[in-house]
Amino acid sequence: MRLLALAALAAWACLVQAQTTAPKAAPAAKVDGNFIRANAQKTPEWPSVGLDYAETRYSRLDQLNTGNVGQLGLVWSYNLESTRGVEATPLVVDGVMYVTASWSVVHAIDVRTGQRLWSFDPQVDRAKGYRGCCDVVNRGVALWKGKVYVGAFDGRLIALDAATGNKLWEKDTLIDHARSYTITGAPRVFKGKVIIGNGGAEYGVRGYITAYDAETGDQKWRWFTVPGDPSKPFEDEAQARAAKTWDPAGKWWESGGGGTVWDTMAFDPELNTMYIGTGNGSPWARSKRSPAGGDNLYLASIVALDPDTGKYKWHYQETPGDNWDYTSTQPMILADIKLDGKPRKVILHAPKNGFFFVIDRTNGKFISAKNFVEVNWATGYDKNGRPIEVAAARDGTKPNDSIPGPFGAHNWHPMSFNPKTGLVYLPAQHVPITLMDDKDWKFNENAPLRPHSDLGWNLAKFANAEPPKSKPMGRLVAWDPVKQKEAWGVEHVSPWNGGTLTTAGNLVFQGTADGRLVAYDARDGKKLWETPTGTGVVAAPSTYMVDGKQYVSVAVGWGGVYGLAQRASERQGPGTVYTFAVGGTAKMPEFVQYRMDKLLQGVKYDPAKVQAGTGLYVSNCVFCHGVPGVDRGGNIPNLGYLGAPYIENLDKFVFKGPAMSRGMPDFTGKLSMEDVEAIKAFIQGTADAIRPK
């Protein structure tokens, strides 16, 4: 008996040792297509940027609900060590969070403790930040079979080991390094292929989207969104058809054409179809890129592709002949809804142009469109799905206060769809800007008053040649896609509010530009809970279960194109991930007031140089620093509120200055000392002009 007992004890000890020493499953190793589809049934984890293939951002978790959301408290906060915009949705699988900060830096965090597991910095050249229009942001990663995929700002697609953060492979996605291509969007993985698009239409590039083998990084296919040089063979029949909608007199291929796929993608496994949204024209003014007119396919469109081959299936163009930077790259949602009593497989989409679209996703046929904000460029859409344009909106001979403006009625900030309420929760906005065609524009020609032309922008438009009369607006809209009308709305103090998350607990979460995370009742918009976040929120939250408890996380960091020069909060801090749960008692991190000196005074200047300085400032500085003394600055300071020594020594900053490590361009060879003196005159002269008398 004693021998049997000893044998049993030894066996038990071996079993314990095996259990404690056996390696744990690799993080995110289970994530593949079957897992993403299965997870979508109950959504305990958040494995893809939009939660599921349909990009609904609808969590079926209801442990947190309208009855207890008021008890949410902070569990932990995590310092992302960034000072620029944070736009990523946190992914969570197996208790590990994967999230990106500015400059495409990836962080892996233990959700139970809030402690860093690893971080990966792709070492993007900080001095090249000017090659992106809209801040050095990144919207997140993709997970697949133990790998983490990130698109670096400089155009590299990188695969990392999910357990260690070590780089496994890296691919250069750019077709032309002489042009300012970037990546800011999150990759997606469909059927074992990592798929990514690029940004850069403002700079004169040709849009495309590329699929790479998720295991090896080998390129599998590439599809261009606009046709190339018509003197050369087109890549496919879709390009040949598109070329018929462009005027060769504009030589659109020299200025790229645009149509970049810089954000949205979705996938329907049953239809074996993936969907992309395409960007604006390059340049913005159709009168320059296609003088005789034309729809300019496939700009500002939803396009359906075969994920296996990249072959074109169908398209629907939301803004034919785009003339206003009305991209269709805003997040789309796949949904099954009843229309006229019949179930329909649809795409729900709210692009920049201000209309909410319902499109049949099986064939691309137009179903309906209704404006969700005030618009003045079209009165509606006809039965064939074409806009009924207002003629004056396309007249580029004088400044037009386009509504919505190029910031869009809805930008990249994600929306969500709750099948229980039948509503889409949509961050709507208006940022006033007047636009007028630049009749003398030539590709890559720098000239005063051409917006950021010295940094490579090619708009063929003047911005704010006359001050806009429309008013800025920010609003959370709950939209009924069946009735095509607003169900309820919440006014915000500013544009540029964060993306949304909705749940089966009848909740909607949204961060705001004035530095709050708020929970609303999804049925009527009643505010149920809020917490300060220190600085403005632009990203969307996610929610998930760990150890039987539901958490909500959001990555915070003010920025994006509007957030460079504008803000609605008074405090700032590093990019931060906040994680909340019922009963959380952690303390908020410390934040500081934005540095904002008194209105600039005392810089000596020649008033005769102010006019020349105005043109130089517009072509080099305005979209990052705003108008001196008029704007307040965002994550980049307004020069009208810096101390006089900074402006007096402006040359020390624009020529190989200390801020290059934070994204400041080097203007050596672009500006002369005489130019700098003129810019100084404009900055101090503007401050003097607006100073209260």
Side-chain angles (χ1 to χ4, degrees):
M1 290 295 293
R2 184 169 179 269
L3 288 175
L4 287 173
L6 288 173
L9 183 63
W12 177 81
C14 290
L15 178 62
V16 169
Q17 183 179 20
Q19 289 176 337
T20 56
T21 60
K24 295 181 179 178
K30 64 187 179 185
V31 179
D32 60 10
N34 290 331
F35 174 78
I36 291 173
R37 295 180 72 176
N39 185 75
Q41 302 306 308
K42 295 184 178 180
T43 62
E45 310 205 58
W46 196 286
S48 183
V49 66
L51 177 58
D52 46 37
Y53 279 139
E55 302 273 317
T56 63
R57 296 177 181 265
Y58 169 67
S59 171
R60 297 180 184 275
L61 302 179
D62 61 3
Q63 184 186 94
L64 184 63
N65 52 59
T66 55
N68 63 5
V69 69
Q71 301 170 38
L72 274 182
L74 183 66
V75 178
W76 52 260
S77 61
Y78 175 91
N79 187 346
L80 289 169
E81 300 173 353
S82 59
T83 59
R84 301 288 290 271
V86 175
E87 298 186 353
T89 300
L91 273 55
V92 176
V93 173
D94 294 330
V96 179
M97 176 182 293
Y98 306 91
V99 64
T100 54
S102 48
W103 298 109
S104 322
V105 177
V106 185
H107 296 259
I109 307 167
D110 185 328
V111 169
R112 293 176 175 87
T113 65
Q115 298 301 304
R116 177 178 303 184
L117 298 174
W118 54 259
S119 64
F120 173 80
D121 185 345
Q123 298 295 319
V124 173
D125 184 349
R126 288 352 188 216
K128 298 293 178 61
Y130 71 91
R131 293 176 74 105
C133 70
C134 306
D135 206 354
V136 290
V137 295
N138 186 278
R139 295 184 198 94
V141 300
L143 302 176
W144 190 266
K145 294 185 177 180
K147 294 181 178 63
V148 180
Y149 305 91
V150 62
F153 181 80
D154 56 16
R156 291 172 290 152
L157 180 65
I158 302 170
L160 307 173
D161 186 309
T164 64
N166 293 334
K167 183 164 64 176
L168 300 175
W169 54 255
E170 173 181 298
K171 297 296 175 180
D172 181 0
T173 72
L174 305 190
I175 60 173
D176 185 351
H177 283 267
R179 301 187 184 230
S180 290
Y181 281 103
T182 55
I183 296 177
T184 57
R188 309 297 199 279
V189 185
F190 304 146
K191 302 184 73 175
K193 298 176 183 66
V194 190
I195 303 172
I196 192 66
N198 303 80
E202 277 65 44
Y203 297 83
V205 304
R206 184 187 183 195
Y208 58 93
I209 186 167
T210 315
Y212 299 86
D213 184 279
E215 183 64 29
T216 66
D218 294 339
Q219 183 176 320
K220 291 301 183 181
W221 55 257
R222 172 170 287 154
W223 189 77
F224 287 94
T225 63
V226 299
D229 186 342
S231 70
K232 301 175 183 178
F234 292 115
E235 288 84 359
D236 54 42
E237 181 56 34
Q239 304 301 315
R241 287 195 301 269
K244 297 175 182 177
T245 69
W246 294 73
D247 177 14
K251 297 184 178 181
W252 75 83
W253 56 94
E254 293 183 357
S255 57
T260 46
V261 187
W262 51 264
D263 196 21
T264 189
M265 287 179 260
F267 175 49
D268 187 329
E270 293 180 0
L271 298 176
N272 194 37
T273 302
M274 58 171 286
Y275 308 91
I276 63 173
T278 66
N280 53 284
S282 180
W284 287 5
R286 188 182 66 170
S287 65
K288 286 298 182 180
R289 70 172 186 268
S290 189
D295 287 351
N296 297 174
L297 293 173
Y298 298 95
L299 299 179
S301 299
I302 294 175
V303 182
L305 302 174
D306 184 321
D308 297 313
T309 64
K311 186 177 179 180
Y312 163 94
K313 288 190 172 186
W314 56 255
H315 78 276
Y316 170 69
Q317 190 172 40
E318 294 174 325
T319 310
D322 169 50
N323 194 50
W324 307 273
D325 187 25
Y326 285 166
T327 63
S328 290
T329 47
Q330 287 58 54
M332 70 178 82
I333 292 172
L334 310 186
D336 296 344
I337 62 177
K338 277 192 174 181
L339 295 170
D340 298 324
K342 298 179 181 179
R344 298 287 296 271
K345 293 181 180 295
V346 301
I347 295 173
L348 308 177
H349 200 218
K352 274 190 180 181
N353 74 14
F355 286 87
F356 192 101
F357 292 86
V358 181
I359 308 297
D360 188 316
R361 74 173 182 270
T362 68
N363 55 24
K365 298 298 182 183
F366 171 83
I367 296 174
S368 65
K370 183 71 175 178
N371 58 297
F372 59 92
V373 296
E374 179 187 351
V375 300
N376 69 359
W377 72 276
T379 59
Y381 278 69
D382 65 23
K383 63 180 181 180
N384 297 315
R386 289 193 66 87
I388 305 166
E389 287 192 16
V390 175
R394 199 175 279 278
D395 179 7
T397 62
K398 55 186 177 181
N400 178 56
D401 191 354
S402 55
I403 303 176
F407 285 90
H410 174 218
N411 207 292
W412 64 267
H413 314 79
M415 62 186 190
S416 56
F417 172 65
N418 190 320
K420 286 180 64 176
T421 64
L423 301 178
V424 173
Y425 304 98
L426 165 64
Q429 62 179 24
H430 175 58
V431 178
I433 289 184
T434 63
L435 295 175
M436 181 176 70
D437 287 4
D438 179 356
K439 62 183 180 62
D440 298 320
W441 172 86
K442 291 182 177 61
F443 182 58
N444 273 347
E445 182 181 76
N446 174 40
L449 293 177
R450 286 183 179 161
H452 277 218
S453 60
D454 207 9
L455 297 174
W457 285 49
N458 280 276
L459 304 187
K461 294 270 189 182
F462 292 116
N464 288 343
E466 288 183 4
K469 295 180 180 178
S470 59
K471 302 298 182 183
M473 176 272 290
R475 182 175 172 82
L476 172 60
V477 173
W479 189 263
D480 186 327
V482 176
K483 297 178 181 178
Q484 281 285 33
K485 60 184 285 188
E486 181 178 311
W488 54 261
V490 175
E491 300 295 332
H492 292 315
V493 301
S494 167
W496 215 248
N497 299 284
T500 69
L501 156 70
T502 188
T503 77
N506 283 321
L507 298 173
V508 177
F509 289 90
Q510 184 189 30
T512 65
D514 61 347
R516 297 173 295 136
L517 179 64
V518 188
Y520 303 94
D521 191 311
R523 297 163 294 190
D524 57 16
K526 180 181 178 182
K527 185 168 71 173
L528 303 174
W529 171 85
E530 72 171 48
T531 186
T533 56
T535 191
V537 185
V538 291
S542 59
T543 187
Y544 47 88
M545 296 285 283
V546 174
D547 299 333
K549 192 166 191 174
Q550 185 177 355
Y551 294 83
V552 174
S553 294
V554 65
V556 177
W558 181 246
V561 62
Y562 180 81
L564 292 173
Q566 306 275 5
R567 59 183 168 82
S569 64
E570 298 302 327
R571 291 185 295 171
Q572 65 176 342
T576 305
V577 177
Y578 295 99
T579 292
F580 303 92
V582 169
T585 58
K587 291 184 178 180
M588 281 283 179
E590 294 293 326
F591 290 90
V592 299
Q593 293 293 113
Y594 270 98
R595 177 181 175 176
M596 192 168 172
D597 292 340
K598 294 180 180 179
L599 188 61
L600 180 68
Q601 61 181 13
V603 177
K604 295 180 180 179
Y605 67 97
D606 181 354
K609 295 182 177 180
V610 170
Q611 184 173 354
T614 303
L616 289 164
Y617 190 89
V618 169
S619 62
N620 289 278
C621 316
V622 68
F623 285 160
C624 292
H625 290 286
V627 180
V630 176
D631 300 318
R632 301 197 308 150
N635 64 26
I636 295 177
N638 184 278
L639 302 181
Y641 291 106
L642 288 181
Y646 287 96
I647 307 306
E648 289 170 342
N649 294 284
L650 190 60
D651 59 302
K652 304 296 192 302
F653 292 90
V654 301
F655 300 133
K656 291 182 168 50
M660 285 179 63
S661 62
R662 301 191 297 275
M664 175 81 174
D666 176 20
F667 288 93
T668 302
K670 294 179 180 292
L671 297 174
S672 66
M673 283 297 296
E674 185 178 349
D675 292 334
V676 174
E677 289 301 313
I679 291 172
K680 289 163 61 175
F682 168 73
I683 296 169
Q684 183 62 79
T686 302
D688 290 344
I690 67 170
R691 195 183 315 280
K693 300 298 189 285

